[in-house]
Amino acid sequence: RVLPSEPKRIGDCCSVTSERRKNTMDIHEYQAKDVLSNFGVTIAPGALAYSPEQAAYRARELGGDSWVVKAQVHAGGRGKAGGVKLCQSDQEIQAACEDMFGKKLVTHQTGPQGKGIYRVYVEAAVPIEREIYLGLVLDRSSQRVMIVASQEGGMEIEDISVEKPDSIVRSTVEPAVGLQEFQAREISFALGIEPPLVQQMVRTLKGCYRAFRDLDATMVEINPLVITGDGRILALDAKMTFDDNALFRHPQISELRDKSQEDPRESRAADRGLSYVGLDGNIGCIVNGAGLAMATMDTIKLAGGEPANFLDIGGGATPERVAKAFRLVMSDQNVQAVLVNIFAGINRCDWVAEGVVQALKEVQIDVPVVVRLAGTNVQEGQRILAQSGLPIIRATTLMEAAERAVGAWSNDLKQATRVRAVQ
Ligand code: GDP
Ligand code: MN
């Protein structure tokens, strides 16, 4: 995602960052299907494989004479990118798998770096008569779960909303009573489901809603939900995301996390209890508190620079935590200056200063470091920085700090030979 080109207004960074700062966890298609089938959604028989041989074996176990091999990555658009293949023999399955395992699948949702394929799902192929789009999302304006559906399944919802906006059916669920039978029937009729199949559609809709609500999901998407030639309604694809902050209530969902699918910078930060979002600029920010981080990024932009990240070390930061934050920021090759901005309420400026000094000694940081401290124990913090003998650029106000960080990298940039900390 690209930041607006000339943002000079306070708040420009906020929308970008809060969107990037997802606070959700994705799971794989096969996992979502398993979850949804426990809530009464029908799926085709399938099995997971970690190698081409295992995939062929799984297909034989499933029986039948045609199968679909599907790359399991946390992204949609696999079909068009070669991540979904229809196969009719052992050999075809093996060949399809050879093209997938260990490769990066690049779809329009993964970004150019793609996502690694380490698992495939083998499913009995299904004769499709009709494809339907079904999604459940949080609608922030009505503060309700909204069901979004369309007869134009198989296409992405973004494309449907441009090309066939009139085909989209929307229905919000009243949380006090949940999804009602009549409401589910209304949605089914609006989708043109034939009367004998309406009961199946109602069960599917109610199952998706209950899964969404009971598991604190933020999104359920079945695209396509298909009607087969023999009159069955099946989820052929499935995607679910969950609210991070509610995962403690669902250990069985929490276990489904697959770190191979996450941005390594962000999962490394999450493991260390730091809140981090990688951005596209070159000024690394170490800040306490999300609001202050937003303000810091805005001020950097106001001073003519671009933030390289959003890093919130939180309250009560120990020197070790500050050092960790430095290591993380410095592992981003784009960082050409670091701006530490701490407003210490719960934090203590002397601890943060010690952390900065410790990090600069350990991590061999060869880019300018600007530190602005305010709040608890600020004098002691300043003294530690001044007496360290390290080339730390100190600033009093946030604006001054941002200007110095922006100025520092443009001046010091050329002669910098860069030593990078790993981890
Ligand atoms: P996505 O591209 O990542 O959304 O992956 P999908 O699971 O949606 O698969 C892409 C497309 O492959 C679907 O829209 C279907 O048209 C097709 N497909 C998937 N499974 C089957 C199957 O069992 N039979 C048939 N005929 N087509 C399938
Ligand atoms: Mn799909």
Side-chain angles (χ1 to χ4, degrees):
R1 211 135 296 183
V2 188
L3 292 166
S5 52
E6 275 205 289
K8 289 281 180 267
R9 284 178 301 116
I10 297 295
D12 272 344
C13 284
C14 297
S15 61
V16 175
T17 316
S18 50
E19 194 182 326
R20 287 283 303 273
R21 198 165 170 251
K22 294 192 301 161
N23 290 334
T24 58
M25 187 189 83
D26 292 330
I27 61 174
H28 286 295
E29 173 198 0
Y30 78 95
Q31 295 166 329
K33 283 181 169 170
D34 185 44
V35 168
L36 292 172
S37 71
N38 288 328
F39 285 88
V41 175
T42 313
I43 56 172
L48 188 70
Y50 291 91
S51 70
E53 298 72 31
Q54 201 182 13
Y57 184 81
R58 292 286 177 235
R60 241 171 291 140
E61 272 184 340
L62 289 169
D65 53 15
S66 55
W67 303 270
V68 181
V69 175
K70 309 181 81 176
Q72 296 301 290
V73 294
H74 286 182
R78 296 164 303 164
K80 289 195 190 100
V84 177
K85 296 218 170 110
L86 186 67
C87 301
Q88 250 122 29
S89 67
D90 265 25
Q91 290 75 18
E92 282 181 24
I93 289 175
Q94 298 238 13
C97 288
E98 304 285 356
D99 286 344
M100 292 184 191
F101 276 109
K103 304 273 167 57
K104 298 262 185 199
L105 187 68
V106 180
T107 81
H108 70 276
Q109 290 187 4
T110 59
Q113 73 285 358
K115 296 223 164 168
I117 306 172
Y118 307 103
R119 310 172 193 189
V120 304
Y121 190 52
V122 185
E123 215 174 48
V126 171
I128 302 172
E129 192 155 291
R130 258 184 74 191
E131 294 186 314
I132 292 166
Y133 174 91
L134 174 61
L136 283 79
V137 290
L138 281 172
D139 175 43
R140 293 182 193 282
S141 59
S142 65
Q143 304 181 359
R144 301 267 189 281
V145 175
M146 182 187 268
I147 298 177
V148 181
S150 162
Q151 309 212 22
E152 307 291 330
M155 273 160 86
E156 306 289 335
I157 189 66
E158 291 82 1
D159 299 332
I160 301 175
S161 64
V162 174
E163 290 169 32
K164 304 267 176 128
D166 297 340
S167 76
I168 299 178
V169 177
R170 292 186 180 82
S171 183
T172 51
V173 182
E174 166 57 51
V177 293
L179 180 65
Q180 297 290 293
E181 289 269 341
F182 78 88
Q183 191 180 1
R185 279 197 297 276
E186 259 174 17
I187 297 168
S188 308
F189 295 139
L191 291 170
I193 306 284
E194 281 107 71
L197 302 183
V198 166
Q199 207 38 52
Q200 277 189 66
M201 189 65 193
V202 168
R203 194 178 69 215
T204 305
L205 289 165
K206 289 179 81 174
C208 289
Y209 177 73
R210 278 205 300 122
F212 189 109
R213 187 199 53 196
D214 291 3
L215 299 174
D216 293 304
T218 53
M219 198 260 302
V220 172
E221 187 182 58
I222 301 181
N223 188 24
L225 179 72
V226 301
I227 301 178
T228 64
D230 55 355
R232 287 176 304 144
I233 297 185
L234 294 180
L236 215 60
D237 190 8
K239 200 172 176 198
M240 282 185 91
T241 62
F242 298 90
D243 183 348
D244 259 3
N245 292 319
L247 282 175
F248 74 96
R249 303 206 284 205
H250 310 290
Q252 77 286 16
I253 297 296
S254 203
E255 296 234 312
L256 303 179
R257 183 166 176 197
D258 180 358
K259 287 191 194 164
S260 77
Q261 301 294 310
E262 296 172 1
D263 179 336
R265 293 180 304 184
E266 291 179 17
S267 50
R268 227 184 297 150
D271 289 345
R272 287 162 174 69
L274 300 167
S275 179
Y276 179 95
V277 177
L279 300 169
D280 306 321
N282 44 26
I283 298 179
C285 308
I286 297 176
V287 183
N288 69 309
L292 192 61
M294 298 286 188
T296 305
M297 294 192 301
D298 276 334
T299 314
I300 288 172
K301 289 195 151 257
L302 217 51
E306 292 284 340
N309 69 286
F310 166 112
L311 196 155
D312 174 10
I313 57 171
T318 58
E320 292 73 30
R321 207 167 151 81
V322 176
K324 269 184 203 165
F326 260 100
R327 264 184 230 114
L328 192 73
V329 167
M330 292 312 293
S331 69
D332 180 347
Q333 293 295 324
N334 294 328
V335 170
Q336 288 163 346
V338 177
L339 170 53
V340 181
N341 183 25
I342 302 294
F343 188 90
I346 303 168
N347 278 308
R348 289 170 40 184
C349 287
D350 55 328
W351 275 23
V352 172
E354 271 176 38
V356 171
V357 170
Q358 186 181 324
L360 285 167
K361 284 182 177 157
E362 282 172 15
V363 187
Q364 255 197 296
I365 293 161
D366 55 355
V367 298
V369 175
V370 180
V371 181
R372 182 247 176 174
L373 300 173
T376 310
N377 294 358
V378 64
Q379 272 100 4
E380 181 62 7
Q382 296 291 10
R383 191 190 60 75
I384 292 167
L385 294 181
Q387 289 182 359
S388 69
L390 292 163
I392 297 166
I393 304 168
R394 281 179 288 150
T396 322
T397 66
L398 175 50
M399 196 64 223
E400 183 192 350
E403 278 167 357
R404 293 203 157 183
V406 173
W409 71 256
S410 38
N411 295 333
D412 287 21
L413 200 59
K414 288 124 217 156
Q415 79 271 18
T417 30
R418 329 208 44 210
V419 185
R420 287 296 181 185
V422 187
Q423 286 282 306

